[in-house]
Amino acid sequence: RLDQLSLDGSLELIKKRFNTEAVPTGLVQLIGDRAEGNPLFAEEIINYLLEKGQIENGETGLIFHESSGADLPVTIENLLMDRVDRMTPGARSILEAAAVIGMAFSEDLIASVTGIDGGALGHLEEMQDKDLVVFDPSQNSYRIKHALVREAVYKSILGSTREKLHENIAGFLEVSGSEIDGDLTNILAWHYGQTSNDGKAVRFMARAGEQSLMVYSLAEAESHFRDAIQRIERSPGCVDDTELLDILLHLSRVLYFR
């Protein structure tokens, strides 16, 4: 949970952001009133006003072209999506793919999923310039800056596009993973679970359940097995009878131990 931001906190945030002591009172008041103590919302309001040209650096400090604030998007999701909507199509495609992958992603995975190869780096730089992603040199990967960015972008993707991205991501990870370890199995179960590929979804849900059972994570194992059975009920024949029997036997073991 983020700590509440006071009016003085809003002032300090602006001073630090622009490296100045001279901050118009109207700007502090607007951000304090509209952010309602949410520091992330305050940051996004500053970004919005800056991009709209309502904040400028002057010789003696910040210049704020005051307005009623009526044109400000009313929620942080709206503010974030306003910035996303003004991205180039290529950069937006990459951000959407990243949102489906998760909070962290590699350039190779993004290039494979989107089909944008040589130009991916330029789009990633645009996303960094817009303060939407950051590069983590220790992991040689990128990270979406805030979970709210990922959530807002993910919800904005058309269902058919989102499903295709999930399947492409799962396919890449399944082929590139030298071994399907516990974490990767759970990731594949989740991605395939968001697609209509019932066979793959069931198989990886079952594997995830088996791995949870091996370490006696019984609640997690039960959840995976029940998800697999639900998919089989929805799409009879997506796996053979032997696989169904194995899932039912594993579920019975979970229920016995619980």
Side-chain angles (χ1 to χ4, degrees):
R1 179 181 169 84
L2 295 173
D3 293 333
Q4 289 288 297
L5 191 69
S6 65
L7 205 60
D8 287 342
S10 297
L11 174 60
E12 291 305 312
L13 179 67
I14 300 167
K15 285 181 178 179
K16 185 176 179 181
R17 173 70 182 270
F18 294 98
N19 193 28
T20 182
E21 291 294 316
V23 179
T25 303
L27 177 59
V28 179
Q29 193 66 52
L30 175 65
I31 292 172
D33 290 345
R34 296 301 296 272
E36 297 181 335
N38 184 321
L40 177 55
F41 203 170
E43 285 185 19
E44 291 306 320
I45 290 172
I46 292 170
N47 287 332
Y48 179 86
L49 294 174
L50 191 61
E51 291 184 8
K52 293 292 185 180
Q54 289 181 252
I55 303 176
E56 296 181 76
N57 273 308
E59 292 183 3
T60 58
L62 285 182
I63 300 170
F64 174 45
H65 302 288
E66 294 198 38
S67 69
S68 65
D71 60 335
L72 273 174
V74 295
T75 67
I76 189 167
E77 289 82 3
N78 294 144
L79 273 171
L80 292 168
M81 289 310 300
D82 178 82
R83 188 148 30 118
V84 171
D85 288 341
R86 286 183 277 115
M87 296 173 69
T88 60
R92 176 157 185 165
S93 293
I94 286 180
L95 184 59
E96 289 178 349
V100 176
I101 292 167
M103 289 298 293
F105 58 94
S106 68
E107 187 178 342
D108 287 346
L109 176 53
I110 280 290
S112 174
V113 169
T114 61
I116 300 173
D117 195 358
L121 186 58
H123 294 311
L124 287 166
E125 288 173 352
E126 178 184 345
M127 290 156 62
Q128 290 180 88
D129 290 342
K130 287 190 175 292
D131 205 30
L132 293 167
V133 304
V134 292
F135 179 67
D136 181 357
S138 67
Q139 300 294 323
N140 194 31
S141 65
Y142 293 84
R143 186 171 186 83
I144 298 176
K145 188 170 182 182
H146 295 292
L148 279 173
V149 173
R150 185 201 172 203
E151 182 181 333
V153 173
Y154 186 87
K155 289 193 294 189
S156 75
I157 306 171
L158 291 174
S160 58
T161 302
R162 189 164 58 224
E163 180 179 341
K164 183 64 176 174
L165 285 169
H166 275 295
E167 183 134 26
N168 288 347
I169 291 161
F172 177 89
L173 293 174
E174 186 179 356
V175 170
S176 63
S178 56
E179 293 182 8
I180 306 297
D181 60 23
D183 287 340
L184 186 53
T185 299
N186 277 285
I187 291 170
L188 289 170
W190 181 71
H191 279 300
Y192 279 126
Q194 310 309 308
T195 75
S196 56
N197 191 333
D198 294 304
K200 289 277 191 180
V202 168
R203 289 186 182 97
F204 282 104
M205 288 172 182
R207 289 186 197 177
E210 290 167 20
Q211 289 174 343
S212 296
L213 179 56
M214 287 174 65
V215 295
Y216 287 89
S217 295
L218 299 180
E220 186 176 323
E222 181 179 354
S223 177
H224 284 307
F225 291 132
R226 290 196 184 279
D227 285 345
I229 292 168
Q230 187 177 41
R231 292 297 287 258
I232 294 170
E233 289 174 343
R234 191 180 78 181
S235 180
C238 64
V239 293
D240 61 36
D241 291 344
T242 302
E243 289 173 288
L244 172 57
L245 181 59
D246 283 342
I247 293 168
L248 292 171
L249 287 171
H250 284 307
L251 178 59
S252 69
R253 290 192 186 100
V254 171
L255 296 177
Y256 173 79
F257 288 123
R258 293 195 76 180

PDB file of all heavy atoms in Angstrom, residues 101 169-170 173 182-193:
ATOM      1  N   ILE A 101       2.651 -10.449 -20.904  1.00  0.00           N
ATOM      2  CA  ILE A 101       3.748 -11.265 -20.362  1.00  0.00           C
ATOM      3  C   ILE A 101       3.771 -11.182 -18.839  1.00  0.00           C
ATOM      4  O   ILE A 101       3.863 -12.193 -18.143  1.00  0.00           O
ATOM      5  CB  ILE A 101       5.102 -10.802 -20.928  1.00  0.00           C
ATOM      6  CG1 ILE A 101       5.187 -11.108 -22.424  1.00  0.00           C
ATOM      7  CG2 ILE A 101       6.269 -11.456 -20.188  1.00  0.00           C
ATOM      8  CD1 ILE A 101       6.335 -10.426 -23.131  1.00  0.00           C
ATOM      9  N   ILE A 169       3.095 -16.153 -26.411  1.00  0.00           N
ATOM     10  CA  ILE A 169       4.034 -16.104 -25.284  1.00  0.00           C
ATOM     11  C   ILE A 169       4.280 -17.507 -24.737  1.00  0.00           C
ATOM     12  O   ILE A 169       5.424 -17.921 -24.525  1.00  0.00           O
ATOM     13  CB  ILE A 169       3.490 -15.180 -24.175  1.00  0.00           C
ATOM     14  CG1 ILE A 169       3.503 -13.720 -24.653  1.00  0.00           C
ATOM     15  CG2 ILE A 169       4.310 -15.323 -22.887  1.00  0.00           C
ATOM     16  CD1 ILE A 169       2.603 -12.807 -23.849  1.00  0.00           C
ATOM     17  N   ALA A 170       3.197 -18.257 -24.541  1.00  0.00           N
ATOM     18  CA  ALA A 170       3.327 -19.619 -24.020  1.00  0.00           C
ATOM     19  C   ALA A 170       4.133 -20.488 -24.987  1.00  0.00           C
ATOM     20  O   ALA A 170       5.001 -21.271 -24.564  1.00  0.00           O
ATOM     21  CB  ALA A 170       1.945 -20.216 -23.783  1.00  0.00           C
ATOM     22  N   LEU A 173       7.857 -19.599 -24.703  1.00  0.00           N
ATOM     23  CA  LEU A 173       8.440 -20.060 -23.444  1.00  0.00           C
ATOM     24  C   LEU A 173       8.558 -21.580 -23.410  1.00  0.00           C
ATOM     25  O   LEU A 173       9.545 -22.125 -22.895  1.00  0.00           O
ATOM     26  CB  LEU A 173       7.587 -19.582 -22.267  1.00  0.00           C
ATOM     27  CG  LEU A 173       7.575 -18.072 -22.023  1.00  0.00           C
ATOM     28  CD1 LEU A 173       6.585 -17.724 -20.913  1.00  0.00           C
ATOM     29  CD2 LEU A 173       8.968 -17.555 -21.666  1.00  0.00           C
ATOM     30  N   GLY A 182       9.368 -25.658 -12.032  1.00  0.00           N
ATOM     31  CA  GLY A 182       8.120 -25.326 -11.351  1.00  0.00           C
ATOM     32  C   GLY A 182       7.553 -23.980 -11.732  1.00  0.00           C
ATOM     33  O   GLY A 182       6.379 -23.860 -12.058  1.00  0.00           O
ATOM     34  N   ASP A 183       8.385 -22.956 -11.712  1.00  0.00           N
ATOM     35  CA  ASP A 183       7.896 -21.622 -12.016  1.00  0.00           C
ATOM     36  C   ASP A 183       7.376 -21.545 -13.442  1.00  0.00           C
ATOM     37  O   ASP A 183       6.309 -20.999 -13.695  1.00  0.00           O
ATOM     38  CB  ASP A 183       9.008 -20.582 -11.817  1.00  0.00           C
ATOM     39  CG  ASP A 183       9.310 -20.331 -10.349  1.00  0.00           C
ATOM     40  OD1 ASP A 183       8.440 -20.647  -9.510  1.00  0.00           O
ATOM     41  OD2 ASP A 183      10.394 -19.833 -10.063  1.00  0.00           O
ATOM     42  N   LEU A 184       8.149 -22.076 -14.379  1.00  0.00           N
ATOM     43  CA  LEU A 184       7.756 -22.008 -15.783  1.00  0.00           C
ATOM     44  C   LEU A 184       6.478 -22.804 -16.033  1.00  0.00           C
ATOM     45  O   LEU A 184       5.621 -22.397 -16.825  1.00  0.00           O
ATOM     46  CB  LEU A 184       8.882 -22.504 -16.689  1.00  0.00           C
ATOM     47  CG  LEU A 184       8.648 -22.355 -18.193  1.00  0.00           C
ATOM     48  CD1 LEU A 184       8.264 -20.930 -18.557  1.00  0.00           C
ATOM     49  CD2 LEU A 184       9.881 -22.786 -18.974  1.00  0.00           C
ATOM     50  N   THR A 185       6.324 -23.919 -15.351  1.00  0.00           N
ATOM     51  CA  THR A 185       5.105 -24.710 -15.510  1.00  0.00           C
ATOM     52  C   THR A 185       3.881 -23.905 -15.084  1.00  0.00           C
ATOM     53  O   THR A 185       2.853 -23.916 -15.768  1.00  0.00           O
ATOM     54  CB  THR A 185       5.192 -26.012 -14.689  1.00  0.00           C
ATOM     55  OG1 THR A 185       6.304 -26.776 -15.158  1.00  0.00           O
ATOM     56  CG2 THR A 185       3.925 -26.830 -14.838  1.00  0.00           C
ATOM     57  N   ASN A 186       3.980 -23.217 -13.977  1.00  0.00           N
ATOM     58  CA  ASN A 186       2.867 -22.374 -13.528  1.00  0.00           C
ATOM     59  C   ASN A 186       2.578 -21.254 -14.515  1.00  0.00           C
ATOM     60  O   ASN A 186       1.422 -20.932 -14.779  1.00  0.00           O
ATOM     61  CB  ASN A 186       3.173 -21.790 -12.141  1.00  0.00           C
ATOM     62  CG  ASN A 186       2.836 -22.751 -11.022  1.00  0.00           C
ATOM     63  OD1 ASN A 186       1.684 -22.951 -10.682  1.00  0.00           O
ATOM     64  ND2 ASN A 186       3.860 -23.371 -10.458  1.00  0.00           N
ATOM     65  N   ILE A 187       3.638 -20.671 -15.052  1.00  0.00           N
ATOM     66  CA  ILE A 187       3.472 -19.588 -16.030  1.00  0.00           C
ATOM     67  C   ILE A 187       2.774 -20.106 -17.282  1.00  0.00           C
ATOM     68  O   ILE A 187       1.849 -19.475 -17.806  1.00  0.00           O
ATOM     69  CB  ILE A 187       4.845 -18.975 -16.379  1.00  0.00           C
ATOM     70  CG1 ILE A 187       5.392 -18.204 -15.174  1.00  0.00           C
ATOM     71  CG2 ILE A 187       4.736 -18.057 -17.596  1.00  0.00           C
ATOM     72  CD1 ILE A 187       6.841 -17.772 -15.323  1.00  0.00           C
ATOM     73  N   LEU A 188       3.199 -21.273 -17.754  1.00  0.00           N
ATOM     74  CA  LEU A 188       2.587 -21.852 -18.954  1.00  0.00           C
ATOM     75  C   LEU A 188       1.135 -22.240 -18.690  1.00  0.00           C
ATOM     76  O   LEU A 188       0.269 -22.061 -19.555  1.00  0.00           O
ATOM     77  CB  LEU A 188       3.385 -23.062 -19.417  1.00  0.00           C
ATOM     78  CG  LEU A 188       4.763 -22.744 -20.030  1.00  0.00           C
ATOM     79  CD1 LEU A 188       5.570 -24.019 -20.227  1.00  0.00           C
ATOM     80  CD2 LEU A 188       4.609 -21.997 -21.343  1.00  0.00           C
ATOM     81  N   ALA A 189       0.857 -22.760 -17.507  1.00  0.00           N
ATOM     82  CA  ALA A 189      -0.524 -23.106 -17.156  1.00  0.00           C
ATOM     83  C   ALA A 189      -1.402 -21.863 -17.184  1.00  0.00           C
ATOM     84  O   ALA A 189      -2.543 -21.902 -17.671  1.00  0.00           O
ATOM     85  CB  ALA A 189      -0.574 -23.757 -15.775  1.00  0.00           C
ATOM     86  N   TRP A 190      -0.863 -20.758 -16.687  1.00  0.00           N
ATOM     87  CA  TRP A 190      -1.649 -19.519 -16.667  1.00  0.00           C
ATOM     88  C   TRP A 190      -1.866 -18.984 -18.083  1.00  0.00           C
ATOM     89  O   TRP A 190      -2.995 -18.654 -18.452  1.00  0.00           O
ATOM     90  CB  TRP A 190      -0.974 -18.453 -15.809  1.00  0.00           C
ATOM     91  CG  TRP A 190      -1.778 -17.197 -15.757  1.00  0.00           C
ATOM     92  CD1 TRP A 190      -2.965 -17.010 -15.099  1.00  0.00           C
ATOM     93  CD2 TRP A 190      -1.501 -15.966 -16.434  1.00  0.00           C
ATOM     94  NE1 TRP A 190      -3.435 -15.724 -15.313  1.00  0.00           N
ATOM     95  CE2 TRP A 190      -2.560 -15.073 -16.121  1.00  0.00           C
ATOM     96  CE3 TRP A 190      -0.458 -15.535 -17.263  1.00  0.00           C
ATOM     97  CZ2 TRP A 190      -2.594 -13.764 -16.614  1.00  0.00           C
ATOM     98  CZ3 TRP A 190      -0.498 -14.237 -17.738  1.00  0.00           C
ATOM     99  CH2 TRP A 190      -1.555 -13.372 -17.418  1.00  0.00           C
ATOM    100  N   HIS A 191      -0.797 -18.918 -18.879  1.00  0.00           N
ATOM    101  CA  HIS A 191      -0.938 -18.378 -20.241  1.00  0.00           C
ATOM    102  C   HIS A 191      -1.858 -19.238 -21.095  1.00  0.00           C
ATOM    103  O   HIS A 191      -2.776 -18.718 -21.738  1.00  0.00           O
ATOM    104  CB  HIS A 191       0.434 -18.249 -20.908  1.00  0.00           C
ATOM    105  CG  HIS A 191       1.198 -17.029 -20.505  1.00  0.00           C
ATOM    106  ND1 HIS A 191       0.736 -15.745 -20.722  1.00  0.00           N
ATOM    107  CD2 HIS A 191       2.401 -16.892 -19.884  1.00  0.00           C
ATOM    108  CE1 HIS A 191       1.612 -14.873 -20.252  1.00  0.00           C
ATOM    109  NE2 HIS A 191       2.628 -15.547 -19.749  1.00  0.00           N
ATOM    110  N   TYR A 192      -1.638 -20.550 -21.101  1.00  0.00           N
ATOM    111  CA  TYR A 192      -2.523 -21.416 -21.888  1.00  0.00           C
ATOM    112  C   TYR A 192      -3.953 -21.394 -21.334  1.00  0.00           C
ATOM    113  O   TYR A 192      -4.918 -21.569 -22.083  1.00  0.00           O
ATOM    114  CB  TYR A 192      -1.989 -22.846 -21.934  1.00  0.00           C
ATOM    115  CG  TYR A 192      -0.899 -23.060 -22.959  1.00  0.00           C
ATOM    116  CD1 TYR A 192       0.335 -23.611 -22.604  1.00  0.00           C
ATOM    117  CD2 TYR A 192      -1.105 -22.724 -24.304  1.00  0.00           C
ATOM    118  CE1 TYR A 192       1.337 -23.811 -23.548  1.00  0.00           C
ATOM    119  CE2 TYR A 192      -0.100 -22.920 -25.251  1.00  0.00           C
ATOM    120  CZ  TYR A 192       1.112 -23.465 -24.874  1.00  0.00           C
ATOM    121  OH  TYR A 192       2.105 -23.659 -25.818  1.00  0.00           O
ATOM    122  N   GLY A 193      -4.068 -21.150 -20.047  1.00  0.00           N
ATOM    123  CA  GLY A 193      -5.391 -21.063 -19.436  1.00  0.00           C
ATOM    124  C   GLY A 193      -6.202 -19.882 -19.919  1.00  0.00           C
ATOM    125  O   GLY A 193      -7.430 -19.858 -19.783  1.00  0.00           O
TER     126      GLY A 193
END
